[in-house]
Amino acid sequence: MYMTKYISKLLRVQALLLPLLLCACVDFNDVTEALTVQVQLVAPEELTTSESLGGHDVSMALNGQTITVQSDDNGLATFQGIIPDIYNISTSWKTFQDAQRYTVSGSLNSQLLKEGQTRLTMPLNVVKDPDVIISKIASAGCKDKNNRTYMAGKYLELYNNSDEPVDVSGLYIGLLDSDNPQPYTLENLQEDYNSEYVLLKQALRIPADKPFLVQPGGTVLLTNSAIDHRDVSPLESDLRGADFEAKDVSGTYQNNPAVPALESTFSRTSGSAVMNLVQGGPCGVVIFRTDEDITTFPRTYAYGKTSGNQWLLLPVRLILDGVDYLKKFNDGVRIKTKRLYTFIDASYTNINATAGWTGEVVYRRTESHAADGHAVLIDTNNSINDFQVSTIIKPRVYDE
C-alpha cells in the first residue's frame, strides 16, 4: 500500500514538472515563420515588346502540392504564407508572333526558400511550338509470369499536335546519354561547348525515301519488337500495329517483317540498332531535323578523357522537342542529373519506381480537344507539368 501511494505521488509530481521541462527545452529562435516570396519574370530578347509579362500564372510546387498566383503588370508574382523549404517554381504561356505559335516559359528547380531568400529572378525562354511532339515513353519494362524481367515491349510515341497533316519522313529520334556517372553534366557542356550541344548515345531516323503523313491528332508508334506482348504480362501491349520497328540484328528481340525499319544512324554501342530505352531512366528523348550528314557531327569522350566510348554532340539549334526523363532514386529525383537545358525542357519527368519493371508509362496530358474531336496535348516545355504516369494507358491512347 505504501509503495502504491508513493508511485501515485511521484506520477503527480512528474505531471507538474513535465510542462516546465518542455518549456525549458524550446528554442523560440527555431520557430518557422511563413515568408512572402516575390518572383520577378525577366523577358528574353526574342519576346516582342508588345507582349505583356502581367496576368500569367506562376506556380510553386512542393511534394505534389501547388500554389499558383498571377504576375502583375511588371511581371512580379508575389506568394504569401510560404513555409521555408525547397520548391520548384515555373511559369508558361502561349503567344503568337508572325502567325506562329510560341511557348514562353521559365523555371527555378529545387529552389531553397528561407529567410533572406525571398526575392527571386526567373529568366524566360521563347521556343517555337513544334507540330510533332514527343508524347509517350514506355521504357519501364515489366516482370513476366515467372517474375523474370522483360524488356521487349518498350516503345515511344510521337504526336501531331497541330491542325494540319505533317510529313515525318526523315525525322530523327535521339536518345540522350544514360551512363552513371554522366559523361558530361550540363555544367561540363557549358564549360567545353558553350551550351551549344547535348550528348546522344543513339540516333535513329524515320526513312526518308517516301512521305509518311500523320494527320492532326495522329501518332507515330516506334518500338523494338512489333508483336503482341500481352501474353507475357497484363502490363504489356499489342504492338503489331507499330509504324516503325528498330530491327534487332542480334536476334534478342522478335521482329515483325511487316513493319518498316527505323534507320540506325548513330549508336555509342557498335552494331546496336535497337532503341536503348533504360528501365528506370535516365533516357531522355529529343526529336530533330537536318539535311546535314549527322555522321560528320563532332563526337566526344567523357569529360576530361581522351579515350573510351564516344557520344554524338547534337547541336541544340536542330532540336524540335525534348523530354528530360530522369531516374528516381530512394531520396527522389536528382535535378543535377538533367541532360537537357531548361530552354528545351524546363524540368523533367520520371516513373515512380526506382528500378523500373513496373509497366509504368509517362505520357502527355490532354489540354483540350479540337473541333474534330482529337486531343490537343499540353506542351509547355516543362515535363513536370506536361506528363503523367500510368500503368494502364495503351498505345495511341491519351485518356485513361
Side-chain angles (χ1 to χ4, degrees):
M1 179 67 71
Y2 172 81
M3 182 62 67
T4 302
K5 290 182 177 179
Y6 174 79
I7 292 174
S8 178
K9 182 177 181 181
L10 180 61
L11 289 174
R12 287 197 300 272
V13 171
Q14 287 178 333
L16 292 171
L17 288 176
L18 184 58
L20 297 175
L21 292 171
L22 289 176
C23 289
C25 294
V26 173
D27 180 2
F28 290 98
N29 291 325
D30 291 336
V31 174
T32 299
E33 294 186 3
L35 307 174
T36 296
V37 179
Q38 293 185 310
V39 179
Q40 178 64 60
L41 306 183
V42 180
E45 294 179 357
E46 299 89 344
L47 198 61
T48 60
T49 55
S50 60
E51 179 74 22
S52 173
L53 294 180
H56 300 295
D57 287 345
V58 182
S59 297
M60 186 177 294
L62 173 67
N63 297 329
Q65 302 297 317
T66 301
I67 303 171
T68 300
V69 302
Q70 282 201 336
S71 57
D72 65 17
D73 291 342
N74 296 314
L76 188 66
T78 301
F79 296 84
Q80 295 180 340
I82 300 300
I83 302 302
D85 211 318
I86 298 176
Y87 292 81
N88 290 327
I89 309 170
S90 63
T91 187
S92 178
W93 70 87
K94 301 293 183 181
T95 186
F96 284 85
Q97 293 182 189
D98 301 324
Q100 173 64 49
R101 191 169 74 161
Y102 292 80
T103 296
V104 182
S105 63
S107 66
L108 298 171
N109 293 318
S110 298
Q111 181 67 53
L112 174 63
L113 297 181
K114 60 182 181 178
E115 187 177 355
Q117 185 71 18
T118 56
R119 177 78 181 217
L120 306 174
T121 298
M122 181 188 289
L124 300 174
N125 303 301
V126 178
V127 179
K128 179 181 177 182
D129 283 0
D131 296 326
V132 175
I133 55 178
I134 301 159
S135 54
K136 195 178 294 179
I137 304 175
S139 69
C142 75
K143 295 291 186 72
D144 66 15
K145 297 174 182 178
N146 298 313
N147 202 37
R148 294 176 299 190
T149 56
Y150 186 77
M151 299 189 293
K154 299 177 182 181
Y155 64 91
L156 295 176
E157 265 186 34
L158 312 179
Y159 191 89
N160 180 1
N161 215 32
S162 73
D163 56 4
E164 298 289 340
V166 176
D167 182 7
V168 297
S169 61
L171 184 70
Y172 285 90
I173 299 93
L175 304 184
L176 305 179
D177 88 82
S178 58
D179 283 20
N180 183 22
Q182 291 173 247
Y184 262 80
T185 64
L186 291 180
E187 290 78 8
N188 297 152
L189 288 170
Q190 166 65 33
E191 179 181 344
D192 279 5
Y193 299 106
N194 197 31
S195 301
E196 294 178 355
Y197 296 93
V198 296
L199 255 62
L200 297 188
K201 65 178 180 182
Q202 200 169 11
L204 304 103
R205 187 175 74 154
I206 295 174
D209 57 338
K210 58 183 178 182
F212 191 89
L213 284 180
V214 182
Q215 297 301 317
T219 61
V220 186
L221 180 57
L222 314 170
T223 185
N224 289 327
S225 181
I227 65 171
D228 190 347
H229 300 270
R230 291 176 295 179
D231 287 341
V232 173
S233 166
L235 296 173
E236 290 293 331
S237 300
D238 183 357
L239 299 178
R240 289 175 294 179
D243 297 300
F244 297 96
E245 184 182 58
K247 304 293 184 180
D248 181 16
V249 295
S250 71
T252 302
Y253 299 144
Q254 182 180 346
N255 288 145
N256 185 340
V259 177
L262 274 175
E263 299 175 358
S264 178
T265 56
F266 170 79
S267 178
R268 183 178 66 82
T269 305
S270 178
S272 176
V274 298
M275 294 185 292
N276 183 9
L277 299 168
V278 181
Q279 291 77 246
C283 192
V285 182
V286 295
I287 55 175
F288 62 99
R289 282 191 183 275
T290 182
D291 293 327
E292 303 171 56
D293 180 1
I294 74 165
T295 62
T296 65
F297 285 4
R299 303 182 186 192
T300 185
Y301 299 107
Y303 179 70
K305 295 187 177 181
T306 57
S307 63
N309 292 317
Q310 286 189 310
W311 287 262
L312 190 72
L313 287 165
L314 174 68
V316 296
R317 59 181 171 81
L318 300 177
I319 295 176
L320 302 174
D321 189 33
V323 176
D324 223 340
Y325 184 22
L326 300 185
K327 178 177 175 58
K328 183 178 181 181
F329 294 86
N330 290 330
D331 59 352
V333 176
R334 298 172 184 172
I335 308 298
K336 289 186 177 180
T337 64
K338 267 182 66 66
R339 268 72 173 174
L340 291 177
Y341 307 106
T342 55
F343 59 83
I344 300 173
D345 186 349
S347 58
Y348 58 88
T349 188
N350 60 276
I351 59 173
N352 295 317
T354 57
W357 313 121
T358 52
E360 290 175 292
V361 177
V362 295
Y363 72 102
R364 282 191 191 268
R365 298 187 295 113
T366 298
E367 181 178 31
S368 61
H369 287 84
D372 64 0
H374 77 261
V376 177
L377 305 184
I378 189 166
D379 178 23
T380 66
N381 294 329
N382 187 337
S383 290
I384 282 180
N385 179 59
D386 296 351
F387 283 81
Q388 56 193 7
V389 181
S390 173
T391 56
I392 63 174
I393 200 78
K394 293 302 179 183
R396 306 190 195 276
V397 175
Y398 288 88
D399 291 303
E400 293 191 23

